[in-house]
Amino acid sequence: MTHLHLRDTTANGRARAAALGSGHRPDVTPASMVEFLSHGRVLILGEESGALYAAQQLDDELVATLCIPGNSQPTSSTVDGLVIVRGGRPQLSGSLGNFRLSFAAAGDGAEAQANHDEARFDLVLDLNKSPLLDREVLPPGYYAPGRDAYALERAIAELPDMRGEFEKPKYFNLDTDICAHGRRGVSGCTRCLDVCPTVAITSNGESVQVDANLCQGFGSCASVCPTGAITYAFPGTKDLLAYLRTVTVSYREHGGADPLMVFYDSSSADTLADAFDGDMPENALPVELEEVGSVGMDTWFTCLAYGARRVLVLAGPGTPGSIVEALEHQVDVTARILEGMGYAGGAVALIRTGDDATVTGAVSSADAMDIKRPATFAPPPEKRLLLRTAINHLLEEAPGSKKAIPLPAGAPFGQIRVDKSACTMCMSCIAVCPTAALREGQGLPQLNFSEWSCIQCGLCETACPEDAIRSEPRFLYDDEERSKPRLLHEEQPLCCISCGKPFATRSTLKAMMKKLEGHWMFQSEAERRRLEMCDVCRVKDMMRAHGQDGSGSA
């Protein structure tokens, strides 16, 4: 933990000292490790003169292969023991100890894979002006100094240290059962994919998958995940919140007032230390995280429920832009929900630590909130339940509350609207809903909706064949109203004209008959009447027709 000089000259300072020493820091011992093995095989990409120069500077323990892109087909040759591949459009994937080189074939977009031994490398030195790997944060073992001579010098000096066995924590846990990315071939939530700066998260259709070798633990995937399918494990949110609960309770028990929670990580630690130089307000409770992007609105609302007057999140110069954007969006959503309860929206703030004055001004801001009865609940493990528990406590203490407020696109709360004139009650939306926010009516043709369960993933909207559904991000404050089922649409059941069994709705039949107009199987009146029969009676009628005329007509 970064050392901060914290005064204890007042009652708040003494309460802070007692509080920070009262609770065990959350365990950051990883449950599992990710291992790498690097033999020192280096792939150097770029123009031939620069690549040859870099190869000559490498440590003798490293084995280099040069790849010189070009318009011709790739050819390999050996010059003075150095393998040089000239030509082709190289493509790169993988991670430390397992970078894979291939070449895009001209024309059809297929790949002409190089020899297996030649195609795999432990390290990459990319001298191209634009790195071959286009991502915000490059993987370990991949160096892209471009045309920067000083950066090239540092990379060449560091490469020898990248030989051997390495390991890092597995920063995440993934529960694909509650992932809202996809269902039945329909795509939905992409929040984690959108914010991962290392491109470690990819889609496999029904859910996402995370490459543990590429993941560098920024945690933004966990903070934006609406269901808790991805959770941060370094430390776990439950352990972190248990620690925060202990600290805030202890601070008040020791006579502290107006607690201010300050989250920071190694990227912003120096600015935080320099900004105050021992004079940080004594009601400020600093909490160092592995990455500030790993906590989001569930943590912030819980801290406010525990009695924090403000929550500050410090993003340093090393915080990737995608994570800053994700934090800004969550702060915006949080502020709107707080303002709808009559609190100060600025009680949660994201601070870019560009200079000392920005930090000191944020910490001393009067834009805060105060609740008379701080919560002491133990944090539940489920993300949605945690949010509900914290927000409901704040509602109980709120100065006043609106009925509902609109939220920006991407917020994980809201309702859906159904065009009743277009809906055919086909139940495609229910089939893809990952949270059971949409449910049928216990055998009746009804579409019921529970707003609190809706995460605005868009699956129902995409799956609807009639384009009858629209998502509407908002926050409804009445807990009973947002939790109980709400009838969105219903129809009288259509009964089989043969046996009387209900099997569909009139609008479903109407849509089906329209789609089958002109179909060769439904030309006669008898054939069209089968559409008004249940599955069993339809088959019986077809068999009777076959036996009567022997034509095999459907």
Side-chain angles (χ1 to χ4, degrees):
M1 180 175 178
T2 300
H3 182 65
L4 298 174
H5 300 288
L6 303 176
R7 296 185 303 169
D8 57 0
T9 58
T10 67
N12 282 346
R14 290 186 288 273
R16 174 174 64 186
L20 294 178
S22 64
H24 295 291
R25 289 284 301 175
D27 185 14
V28 291
T29 302
S32 60
M33 304 294 291
V34 180
E35 297 181 346
F36 302 88
L37 177 61
S38 170
H39 297 285
R41 299 169 298 177
V42 183
L43 173 66
I44 303 177
L45 294 156
E47 296 177 357
E48 187 160 349
S49 59
L52 283 169
Y53 170 79
Q56 293 166 358
Q57 307 306 309
L58 289 183
D59 187 278
D60 292 340
E61 297 294 322
L62 301 173
V63 178
T65 296
L66 275 56
C67 178
I68 317 301
N71 294 325
S72 61
Q73 288 295 317
T75 59
S76 177
S77 62
T78 302
V79 180
D80 296 330
L82 188 66
V83 176
I84 304 178
V85 181
R86 296 182 176 88
R89 292 178 293 157
Q91 298 178 330
L92 199 66
S93 60
S95 55
L96 173 65
N98 190 31
F99 287 105
R100 299 180 295 278
L101 175 68
S102 60
F103 293 89
D108 60 3
E111 291 186 3
Q113 182 69 44
N115 175 273
H116 179 80
D117 292 332
E118 294 178 346
R120 293 178 182 268
F121 302 90
D122 302 304
L123 306 162
V124 176
L125 181 59
D126 190 342
L127 304 179
N128 290 301
K129 186 176 181 180
S130 299
L132 203 58
L133 292 183
D134 182 19
R135 58 194 63 174
E136 196 171 6
V137 177
L138 297 173
Y142 183 93
Y143 298 86
R147 309 298 169 82
D148 187 332
Y150 179 64
L152 173 60
E153 206 174 295
R154 283 185 299 165
I156 290 174
E158 188 175 321
L159 279 167
D161 297 330
M162 298 301 291
R163 292 175 64 249
E165 297 181 10
F166 303 91
E167 62 179 17
K168 68 174 182 180
K170 181 174 176 285
Y171 293 104
F172 66 92
N173 292 311
L174 174 62
D175 181 357
T176 57
D177 289 342
I178 58 174
C179 176
H181 173 61
R183 288 287 191 282
R184 301 191 178 196
V186 180
S187 295
C189 177
T190 61
R191 291 174 175 94
C192 62
L193 291 162
D194 297 337
V195 303
C196 180
T198 63
V199 196
I201 306 176
T202 55
S203 168
N204 64 9
E206 295 296 285
S207 67
V208 299
Q209 56 192 13
V210 185
D211 187 331
N213 293 74
L214 288 176
C215 174
Q216 297 183 43
F218 286 101
S220 51
C221 56
S223 67
V224 301
C225 178
T227 64
I230 297 183
T231 53
Y232 199 65
F234 202 64
T237 301
K238 182 179 179 181
D239 293 334
L240 174 64
L241 288 173
Y243 168 75
L244 297 176
R245 173 176 176 248
T246 299
V247 167
T248 52
V249 170
S250 177
Y251 177 78
R252 291 186 180 279
E253 287 178 345
H254 285 86
D258 302 331
L260 165 68
M261 200 69 71
V262 182
F263 292 109
Y264 68 102
D265 59 19
S266 58
S267 178
S268 55
D270 289 341
T271 303
L272 182 62
D274 294 342
F276 295 101
D277 192 24
D279 292 325
M280 178 182 286
E282 296 188 35
N283 67 323
L285 303 175
V287 180
E288 184 172 10
L289 304 170
E290 185 71 15
E291 297 287 348
V292 291
S294 64
V295 297
M297 66 175 74
D298 53 333
T299 299
W300 307 335
F301 276 124
T302 302
C303 288
L304 295 174
Y306 286 159
R309 295 199 68 213
R310 292 196 81 205
V311 174
L312 297 184
V313 182
L314 273 58
T319 306
S322 59
I323 293 179
V324 172
E325 290 180 13
L327 288 170
E328 287 174 341
H329 182 268
Q330 288 199 76
V331 167
D332 182 27
V333 173
T334 303
R336 296 188 192 207
I337 293 175
L338 288 173
E339 289 169 354
M341 291 187 274
Y343 294 117
V348 175
L350 173 66
I351 310 301
R352 300 296 300 271
T353 56
D355 57 70
D356 296 352
T358 301
V359 178
T360 54
V363 171
S364 58
S365 171
D367 196 5
M369 57 187 281
D370 184 27
I371 61 174
K372 302 300 181 184
R373 185 178 58 87
T376 58
F377 60 80
E382 298 85 5
K383 186 170 188 174
R384 296 292 285 191
L385 181 56
L386 174 63
L387 278 164
R388 182 179 180 183
T389 303
I391 291 174
N392 281 351
H393 182 84
L394 293 173
L395 267 170
E396 292 174 3
E397 304 296 316
S401 174
K402 297 180 179 179
K403 177 178 176 58
I405 57 160
L407 292 176
F413 311 107
Q415 65 175 343
I416 63 169
R417 293 191 177 276
V418 176
D419 182 350
K420 297 180 181 180
S421 64
C423 175
T424 62
M425 299 296 290
C426 69
M427 303 303 182
S428 296
C429 53
I430 292 176
V432 299
C433 182
T435 61
L438 286 166
R439 299 182 184 182
E440 60 183 351
Q442 296 181 341
L444 297 174
Q446 293 180 342
L447 183 59
N448 293 297
F449 175 69
S450 176
E451 183 159 341
W452 179 250
S453 298
C454 180
I455 57 171
Q456 297 285 291
C457 65
L459 277 166
C460 60
E461 194 171 356
T462 304
C464 179
E466 313 302 335
D467 195 28
I469 297 178
R470 290 290 178 270
S471 298
E472 183 182 304
R474 71 168 191 170
F475 194 84
L476 179 65
Y477 286 96
D478 187 301
D479 182 55
E480 182 179 355
E481 187 176 347
R482 66 172 127 90
S483 300
K484 67 182 181 182
R486 183 162 77 239
L487 181 63
L488 296 181
H489 186 39
E490 68 176 335
E491 287 191 27
Q492 289 300 314
L494 177 68
C495 297
C496 174
I497 59 173
S498 179
C499 70
K501 172 187 173 182
F503 72 100
T505 64
R506 180 63 58 183
S507 59
T508 301
L509 176 63
K510 183 179 178 181
M512 188 184 306
M513 295 184 76
K514 184 176 181 181
K515 290 178 181 179
L516 293 175
E517 282 180 358
H519 194 283
W520 65 270
M521 292 180 64
F522 300 95
Q523 292 302 300
S524 70
E525 182 63 26
E527 289 166 343
R528 286 192 292 272
R529 286 183 71 252
R530 291 190 191 120
L531 294 174
E532 299 182 62
M533 299 179 185
C534 67
D535 292 345
V536 174
C537 293
R538 190 178 305 132
V539 172
K540 289 181 179 179
D541 191 66
M542 290 170 63
M543 296 300 293
R544 280 195 297 268
H546 184 278
Q548 287 172 357
D549 58 26
S551 65
S553 170

